[in-house]
């Protein structure tokens, strides 16, 4: 740390940080001197210049949130324009991911506009603002460059490039001069101050009417890449359980908005009480036509599944049938997954009908998903939901109608823009689907909202074992005190990219998996000789959770175990005193040691680091699904109490009061 505390010039500090960046990212993030140097020394140096110009301006810096950022930054905010890097216009230093140099950029915040306007409109708005600012201040065209290259390899890092209005580049191979750096910053700040009087949205309306549409550069690709910084789920099937009105359906809706748009990547389906077979959700063959020929009646759900498949195809991933497997295989590279958005299917009030009946096909096929990785190359395969034998019953117009209903026919765009290829866009893929069937696309996330009352059905272990069950009130609590000004927000979730745990993907903290395996064996010893005993599926999903989270500390690893208990183990446990009493053949005393008590004793040891820590304690476990709303990265980690401890106590109290208990609220 001492080597960064020497009194050096602005140029030397910028060079020191930039040249040390790449090596720093190969080392542990927590309390790293380079990250602290950016947040403290370099930030203070820039603040000294800025405060002389205007002491109301805010200075913020980020090297990452819990892990290294791909592109670190240091921003300057005029509170009259914006107080957040997520919206508005502001100057910012952006440091190349490869440490080759840095930019002083006039930047736009894009996070909040995408939430307000949707991704497509927000992208167009970003381009309009860029053109408007450069037209309003033509001197900026001479001051800097409109295009920047940060050598980023994450979508978040690349997004800074498109949000740039104008920037000046400083190559580390060239000698940096403190006076020039200071003068460049003051020049940009002088333009920035003049923007205080602008009402951007009102001015945009005028500008858009006067500027010829062909001069405004529209986004070339309306699909926003999926960020590597998202929280990848370990399973694409979620049960969101909680009392009515807690916001379960809205949660799914907001997740879809965060990564895509409601019109494209979200489907809300209300479950009907009379659903009892898979055809209610996936469609069926009908022979009620005049000719008596077979015709497939599709559903909104099946059409949405096909829509998710089209997103995979449009991202240039290849569908392959040159294999010994009878299934259709998707092949591609890891970087291509950045272009594939999560598609959220929300089954509202999912247990109004028996899930085991109408969702049987999905539950079975879900377990056949396979990901195979060779370096950055992958294969994905899955058994079909809509089998090829069913499609092949259709002939002529009936088959063409199914193709059209599923969106694999010729589109309006294809008709208006003849590409001269002599075939429709999805001809090859449709032939493959006809031959192999339509399986679960890897970017489909199914989320069922669940209420447990006298009008709904319970869940068998077949359902629970295949899902991630969230007690919504525990994972995403309603905080009445902060209704108008929330202090925390859910992480943005994405689909899993593993289905079978492999040792090469485990984090260094548990590189062989022995720690997680030992934990599950301790839990299973309590569940031995009970209906709740765990098997290989549970172990695989625990290891997948560790792989998805990549914990770096014991508390993070224990947080993964804690959430696994909440999502996969405790939902399986229910019963009366007899069923939950340890060695109940020896005693019928309702006060005897229960399985819940035994489990608590084991977990007190296994989760010792987090078991007794209260929320907000510096030693409490991190929340893996939420973060604080804060500008500084190191202030975003939300500290919470051990979830399984509280849940076990709640279940035990319920057992003592009513003689029966279960996980469900």
């Amino acid at each position: 740390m001492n080597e960064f505390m020497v009194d050096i010039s602005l140029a030397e500090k910028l060079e020191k940080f930039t040249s040390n960046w790449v090596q720093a990212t190969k080392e542990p993030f927590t309390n790293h001197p380079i990250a602290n140097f950016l947040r403290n020394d370099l930030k203070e140096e820039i603040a000294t210049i800025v405060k002389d110009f205007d002491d109301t301006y805010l200075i913020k810096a980020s090297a990452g949130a819990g892990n290294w950022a791909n592109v670190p930054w240091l921003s300057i905010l005029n509170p009259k324009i914006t107080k957040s890097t997520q919206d508005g216009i502001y100057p910012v230093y952006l440091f190349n991911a490869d440490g080759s140099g840095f930019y002083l950029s006039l930047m736009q915040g894009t996070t909040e506009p995408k939430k307000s306007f949707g991704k497509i409109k927000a992208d167009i708005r970003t381009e309009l603002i860029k053109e408007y600012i450069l037209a309003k201040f033509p001197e900026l065209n001479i001051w800097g460059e409109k295009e920047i290259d940060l050598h980023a390899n994450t979508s978040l890092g690349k997004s800074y490039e498109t949000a740039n209005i104008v920037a000046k580049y400083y190559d580390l191979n060239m000698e940096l001069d403190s006076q020039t750096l200071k003068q460049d910053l003051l020049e940009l700040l002088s333009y920035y101050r003049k923007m205080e009087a602008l009402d951007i949205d009102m001015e945009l309306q005028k500008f858009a009417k006067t500027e010829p549409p062909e001069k405004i550069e529209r986004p070339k690709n309306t699909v926003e890449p999926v960020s590597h910084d998202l929280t990848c789920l370990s399973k694409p099937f979620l049960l969101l359980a909680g009392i009515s009105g807690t916001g379960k359906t809205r949660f799914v809706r907001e997740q879809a908005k965060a990564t895509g748009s409601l019109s494209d990547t979200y489907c809300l389906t209300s479950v009907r009480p009379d659903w009892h077979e898979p055809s209610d959700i996936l469609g069926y063959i009908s022979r009620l036509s005049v000719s008596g020929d077979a015709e497939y009646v599709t559903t909104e759900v099946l059409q949405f599944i096909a829509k998710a498949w089209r997103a995979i195809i449009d991202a240039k991933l290849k569908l392959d049938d040159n294999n010994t497997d009878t299934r259709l295989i998707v092949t591609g590279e890891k970087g291509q997954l950045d272009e594939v958005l999560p598609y959220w299917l929300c089954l509202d009030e999912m247990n109004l009908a028996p899930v085991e009946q109408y969702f049987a096909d999905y539950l079975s096929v879900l377990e056949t998903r396979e990901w195979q990785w060779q370096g950055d190359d992958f294969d994905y395969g899955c058994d079909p939901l809509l089998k090829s034998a069913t499609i092949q019953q259709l002939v002529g117009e009936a088959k063409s109608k199914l193709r059209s209903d599923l969106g694999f026919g010729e589109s309006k765009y294809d008709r208006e823009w003849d590409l001269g290829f002599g075939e429709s866009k999805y001809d090859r893929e449709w032939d493959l689907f006809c031959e192999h069937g339509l399986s679960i696309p890897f970017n489909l996330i199914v989320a069922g909202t669940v209420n447990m009352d006298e009008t709904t059905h319970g869940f068998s272990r077949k359902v629970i074992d295949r899902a991630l069950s969230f007690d919504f009130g525990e994972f995403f609590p309603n905080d009445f005190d902060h209704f108008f000004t929330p202090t925390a927000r859910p992480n943005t979730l994405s689909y899993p990219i593993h289905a079978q745990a492999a040792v090469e993907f485990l984090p260094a903290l548990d590189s062989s998996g022995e720690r997680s395996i030992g934990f599950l064996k301790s839990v299973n010893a309590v569940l031995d000789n009970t209906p709740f005993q765990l098997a290989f599926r549970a172990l695989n999903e625990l290891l997948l959770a560790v792989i998805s989270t990549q914990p770096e500390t014991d508390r993070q690893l224990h947080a993964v175990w804690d959430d696994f208990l909440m999502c996969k183990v405790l939902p399986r446990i229910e019963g009366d005193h007899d069923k939950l009493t340890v060695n109940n053949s020896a005693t019928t005393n309702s006060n005897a040691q229960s399985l819940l008590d035994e489990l608590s004793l084991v977990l007190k040891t296994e989760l010792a680091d987090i078991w007794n820590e209260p929320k907000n304690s510096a030693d409490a476990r991190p929340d893996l699904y939420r973060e604080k709303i804060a500008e500084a990265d190191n202030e975003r980690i939300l500290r919470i109490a051990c979830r399984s401890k509280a849940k076990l106590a709640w279940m035990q109290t319920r057992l003592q009061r009513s003689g029966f208990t279960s996980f469900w609220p």
Side-chain angles (χ1 to χ4, degrees):
M1 178 98 181
N2 291 337
E3 64 175 300
F4 300 109
M5 297 302 291
V6 180
D7 186 15
I8 56 178
S9 68
L10 172 61
E12 290 171 322
K13 287 182 179 179
L14 285 165
E15 182 180 2
K16 177 72 75 173
F17 175 77
T18 309
S19 61
N20 282 278
W21 172 251
V22 174
Q23 179 57 39
T25 60
K26 298 175 182 177
E27 300 168 2
F29 175 77
T30 304
N31 204 32
H32 195 284
I34 274 291
N36 292 335
F37 182 70
L38 173 65
R39 300 186 192 110
N40 300 316
D41 297 61
L42 191 51
K43 179 180 174 182
E44 290 173 7
E45 184 73 27
I46 298 299
T48 300
I49 300 171
V50 174
K51 295 300 181 182
D52 286 342
F53 178 84
D54 190 319
D55 61 7
T56 66
Y57 284 16
L58 309 173
I59 316 296
K60 301 181 183 295
S62 173
N67 291 298
W68 291 107
N70 188 231
V71 175
W73 52 262
L74 191 155
S75 64
I76 304 160
L77 309 178
N78 181 345
K80 295 179 181 178
I81 297 176
T82 183
K83 295 181 180 180
S84 169
T85 57
Q86 297 184 357
D87 197 5
I89 298 171
Y90 53 91
V92 60
Y93 284 97
L94 297 170
F95 299 88
N96 285 1
D98 63 356
S100 58
F102 59 92
Y103 289 89
L104 174 59
S105 165
L106 185 64
M107 173 71 67
Q108 302 179 60
T110 58
T111 302
E112 289 303 322
K114 285 177 181 176
K115 291 180 180 178
S116 300
F117 303 112
K119 176 179 59 63
I120 295 174
K121 289 182 179 178
D123 287 344
I124 294 174
R125 180 177 181 270
T126 296
E127 294 298 326
L128 281 170
I129 289 175
K130 182 185 299 186
E131 296 294 333
Y132 168 69
I133 293 296
L134 293 176
K136 187 75 173 177
F137 304 97
E139 302 91 342
L140 286 173
N141 289 284
I142 302 171
W143 182 87
E145 311 165 21
K146 289 192 287 185
E147 303 295 331
I148 65 175
D149 181 4
L150 295 166
H151 303 282
N153 52 33
T154 68
S155 58
L156 180 61
K158 292 174 183 177
S159 71
Y160 300 147
E161 298 172 353
T162 58
N164 170 67
I165 297 173
V166 66
K168 188 162 285 193
Y169 181 60
Y170 305 93
D171 193 321
L172 216 59
N173 291 323
M174 306 294 289
E175 185 176 353
L176 301 179
D177 176 68
S178 293
Q179 189 59 38
T180 302
L181 288 163
K182 181 177 179 180
Q183 186 61 36
D184 291 343
L185 176 57
L186 291 173
E187 286 177 2
L188 187 56
L189 290 176
S190 67
Y191 290 115
Y192 188 42
R193 175 182 279 167
K194 295 175 184 178
M195 297 175 193
E196 289 179 6
L198 299 179
D199 184 332
I200 291 294
D201 287 312
M202 183 179 72
E203 295 293 339
L204 277 186
Q205 293 178 20
K206 298 177 184 176
F207 180 72
K209 291 177 181 178
T210 58
E211 191 71 7
E214 63 272 14
K215 286 190 66 179
I216 302 172
E217 183 183 351
R218 294 302 196 263
K220 295 178 182 178
N221 184 359
T222 58
V223 176
E224 181 186 5
V226 179
S227 170
H228 289 299
D229 299 322
L230 303 182
T231 299
C232 283
L233 295 163
S234 58
K235 203 77 182 277
F237 177 33
L238 316 180
L239 296 178
L240 305 178
I243 61 174
S244 181
T246 51
K248 300 183 292 293
T249 305
R250 181 178 179 82
F251 171 82
V252 182
R253 180 185 177 91
E254 292 302 313
Q255 286 291 328
K257 284 174 62 177
T259 52
S261 66
L262 295 180
S263 59
D264 292 330
T265 62
Y266 175 70
C267 178
L268 175 64
T269 296
S270 298
V271 173
R272 294 166 51 100
D274 60 350
W275 285 3
H276 290 285
E277 56 184 62
S279 62
D280 292 316
I281 200 164
L282 295 175
Y284 56 93
I285 289 278
S286 171
R287 298 184 182 274
L288 297 180
S289 62
V290 176
S291 64
D293 293 335
E295 180 178 310
Y296 200 90
V297 180
T298 63
T299 64
E300 185 180 35
V301 170
L302 186 64
Q303 291 169 10
F304 187 71
I305 291 172
K307 192 176 186 180
W309 267 115
R310 295 201 303 274
I312 293 173
I313 298 167
D314 292 345
K316 309 303 181 185
L317 292 169
K318 184 181 178 182
L319 272 62
D320 185 18
D321 63 349
N322 294 324
N323 54 78
T324 56
D325 200 335
T326 59
R327 302 183 299 181
L328 194 60
I329 303 298
V330 181
T331 63
E333 298 178 354
K334 189 173 184 179
Q336 291 177 279
L337 296 178
D338 290 347
E339 304 294 331
V340 183
L341 303 178
Y343 276 63
W344 286 86
L345 171 60
C346 181
L347 298 178
D348 200 25
E349 304 291 352
M350 186 180 194
N351 58 333
L352 276 179
V355 177
E356 297 84 351
Q357 296 178 18
Y358 75 84
F359 218 43
D361 286 1
Y362 174 87
L363 294 173
S364 296
V365 171
L366 180 66
E367 296 304 297
T368 69
R369 295 172 304 115
E370 287 188 41
W371 288 83
Q372 298 290 335
W373 287 91
Q374 295 281 341
D376 284 340
D377 298 328
F378 71 86
D379 293 345
Y380 167 81
C382 180
D383 286 358
L385 280 171
L386 178 60
K387 294 179 172 56
S388 59
T390 301
I391 299 175
Q392 289 166 8
Q393 291 183 50
L394 309 175
V395 295
E397 291 185 5
K399 196 170 186 178
S400 298
K401 181 178 182 300
L402 175 62
R403 176 177 179 174
S404 177
D405 289 346
L406 296 183
F408 293 115
E410 188 180 43
S411 69
K412 179 181 178 182
Y413 177 86
D414 295 324
R415 291 194 300 270
E416 292 179 351
W417 298 84
D418 184 6
L419 301 179
F421 295 134
E423 61 179 20
S424 296
K425 185 175 182 181
Y426 300 109
D427 277 359
R428 176 180 177 275
E429 289 77 16
W430 175 248
D431 289 343
L432 290 172
F433 287 134
C434 290
E435 182 179 352
H436 297 279
L438 192 70
S439 58
I440 299 175
F442 63 74
N443 58 334
L444 179 72
I445 302 175
V446 178
T449 66
V450 174
N451 290 318
M452 288 295 186
D453 56 37
E454 64 278 359
T455 68
T456 60
H457 296 263
F459 291 114
S460 69
R461 292 192 190 94
K462 176 182 179 179
V463 177
I464 294 171
D465 286 353
R466 287 163 170 77
L468 288 178
S469 300
F470 290 90
D471 182 340
F472 197 80
E474 292 292 334
F475 279 84
F476 308 100
N478 288 178
D479 187 348
F480 285 13
D481 292 332
H482 297 98
F483 179 78
F484 294 108
T485 55
T487 58
R489 62 188 166 206
N491 294 351
T492 302
L493 306 177
S494 189
Y495 49 82
I497 57 173
H498 299 279
Q500 293 79 33
V503 70
E504 60 263 30
F505 299 115
L506 287 166
L509 188 67
D510 192 13
S511 58
S512 65
E514 290 183 4
R515 295 184 63 182
S516 296
I517 292 171
F519 164 75
L520 197 63
K521 287 171 67 177
S522 297
V523 171
N524 220 18
V526 179
L527 304 178
D528 193 24
N529 295 320
T530 73
F532 318 120
Q533 191 170 5
L534 304 169
F536 271 164
R537 180 188 288 140
L539 175 57
N540 182 60
E541 296 195 5
L542 172 59
L543 295 173
L544 286 176
V546 174
I547 290 170
S548 297
T549 308
Q550 291 292 305
E552 295 181 347
T553 66
D554 283 349
R555 282 191 179 84
Q556 290 176 351
L557 180 61
H558 289 173
V560 175
W561 295 351
D562 187 27
D563 288 346
F564 175 80
L565 290 165
M566 290 290 289
C567 293
K568 301 297 298 182
V569 179
L570 299 186
R572 307 174 83 252
I573 298 176
E574 64 175 11
D576 57 16
H577 279 293
D578 289 342
K579 192 173 184 180
L580 296 179
T581 298
V582 176
N583 192 22
N584 58 25
S585 61
T587 179
T588 58
N589 187 347
S590 62
N591 293 321
Q593 186 90 331
S594 76
L595 180 146
L596 302 174
D597 291 325
E598 286 282 317
L599 199 52
S600 294
L601 288 174
V602 168
L603 295 178
K604 185 177 182 180
T605 300
E606 294 293 331
L607 303 179
D609 281 356
I610 65 173
W611 187 254
N612 289 317
E613 293 295 336
K615 70 176 183 177
N616 298 326
S617 162
D619 294 325
R621 56 150 292 187
D623 194 326
L624 304 179
Y625 290 94
R626 293 184 302 152
E627 65 176 8
K628 289 182 181 178
I629 299 175
E631 286 295 334
D633 295 330
N634 59 347
E635 295 177 359
R636 291 181 187 167
I637 298 175
L638 191 63
R639 299 288 176 181
I640 60 172
C642 181
R643 287 190 171 118
S644 57
K645 178 184 179 182
K647 192 66 178 183
L648 282 165
W650 179 84
M651 292 174 69
Q652 179 65 24
T653 300
R654 189 179 184 184
L655 178 64
Q656 292 172 346
R657 287 180 177 175
S658 63
F660 181 89
T661 196
S662 73
F663 169 85
W664 309 100

